[in-house]
Amino acid sequence: MSEEPRRQAGEAWAFRTRVEREAARRFARLALAIEAFDADSPVPALLRRAAEDEHRHAALCADLSAVYGQPVAASAEDAAIAPGSLGPRAAVLYEVVASCCITETESVATLTTLLAEQVEPRVEKVLREIAKDEVLHGRIGWAHLAREASISVVSFLSPWIPAMLAGTVGEGLFTAADTDLQSRELLRHGVLPHSLKRSIFVGTLEGVVFPGLEKFGISSRPARQWLEARGPGARTQPS
Ligand SMILES: [Fe+2]
Ligand SMILES: [Fe+2]
């Protein structure tokens, strides 16, 4: 493998390591927060197990980034991501929807796409191990949302979905990629070409996330407008 793809693959796996570590800390914090207002909820125990999964994923990703010769920088401090105007319980719901219903669901779609490609055996092993857990992590989000929706109105989240999406992907996802990031060679090492990443992101919103949110009365209209404003690569079907 030549130097540049090797560096890019290493950086991608180092980035994933940090994301997994951040997820571990966020899930542990959210477990505590939910317990404080909903003692009977099964969600905190599931989140704690998910946090352990994320630590395991982080170690797997760090091993791979080392294989490609990249060190992993320290992760950002864990901080609540919800807007300050939300009350504590709504803020937890915001974070659970953003990190489980959206981020974990998108992660499953990405991993599934990569697993359908010819990837290096050691990369495939890691992708498989992570994918089986992320499916469950997505479900934890939907379970918490259903529980909250059964006792209160959750449609207030609708105008916040664009901010959640912006927090999930960098603005760069919707700009034209340079050829390096489009490289098919990187696929073998678990890195998606830019254009494919974008179409998976939008397709998963359209096929899974938006319909899932609509079931609880959370309109996808503001999110669709946000995507619309990001250009042709981000278009969804009209609702
Ligand atoms: Fe993970
Ligand atoms: Fe996860």
Side-chain angles (χ1 to χ4, degrees):
M1 182 178 195
S2 53
E3 203 42 51
E4 189 49 24
R6 184 175 139 87
R7 188 189 61 77
Q8 288 186 22
E11 277 180 0
W13 285 104
F15 176 76
R16 281 183 196 149
T17 307
R18 294 196 298 274
V19 170
E20 299 284 2
R21 286 180 186 159
E22 285 161 23
R25 285 185 292 186
R26 177 171 309 123
F27 288 164
R29 173 170 54 79
L30 290 171
L32 270 175
I34 293 170
E35 258 169 9
F37 60 71
D38 189 0
D40 297 330
S41 172
V43 170
L46 297 171
L47 280 172
R48 285 207 176 90
R49 202 175 310 159
E52 285 168 27
D53 294 338
E54 305 298 14
H55 281 301
R56 194 159 32 79
H57 299 172
L60 291 166
C61 294
D63 286 348
L64 273 183
S65 66
V67 164
Y68 295 105
Q70 281 291 323
V72 181
S75 298
E77 279 296 303
D78 178 47
I81 55 167
S85 60
L86 297 178
R89 189 161 179 163
V92 167
L93 182 60
Y94 178 109
E95 280 203 77
V96 171
V97 168
S99 55
C100 294
C101 301
I102 297 176
T103 305
E104 295 283 346
T105 305
E106 290 289 350
S107 169
V108 171
T110 302
L111 295 164
T112 309
T113 307
L114 284 167
L115 281 167
E117 300 286 336
Q118 283 282 342
V119 288
E120 295 287 310
R122 67 179 157 214
V123 171
E124 187 187 335
K125 223 173 136 228
V126 170
L127 293 172
R128 259 187 221 297
E129 169 100 23
I130 296 179
K132 72 172 171 43
D133 298 325
E134 310 296 39
V135 173
L136 299 174
H137 302 171
R139 284 189 201 142
I140 298 172
W142 298 110
H144 181 67
L145 178 58
R147 205 170 157 89
E148 293 296 271
S150 73
I151 58 149
S152 66
V153 175
V154 295
S155 57
F156 73 89
L157 283 175
S158 175
W160 293 113
I161 307 298
M164 295 181 194
L165 300 182
T168 304
V169 291
E171 228 6 82
L173 186 67
F174 300 109
T175 55
D178 46 355
T179 44
D180 279 345
L181 292 171
Q182 297 277 7
S183 163
R184 301 291 299 183
E185 187 193 346
L186 282 169
L187 256 177
R188 299 182 54 79
H189 304 282
V191 184
L192 282 178
H194 196 80
S195 55
L196 187 53
K197 200 168 162 183
R198 188 166 53 205
S199 65
I200 293 167
F201 180 75
V202 176
T204 304
L205 290 178
E206 186 68 48
V208 187
V209 175
F210 291 164
L213 295 173
E214 304 268 4
K215 263 191 235 159
F216 298 102
I218 303 166
S219 166
S220 63
R221 188 175 293 265
R224 286 175 195 277
Q225 285 165 348
W226 182 85
L227 283 170
E228 193 73 24
R230 259 136 207 89
R235 291 268 147 76
T236 65
Q237 304 300 313
S239 55

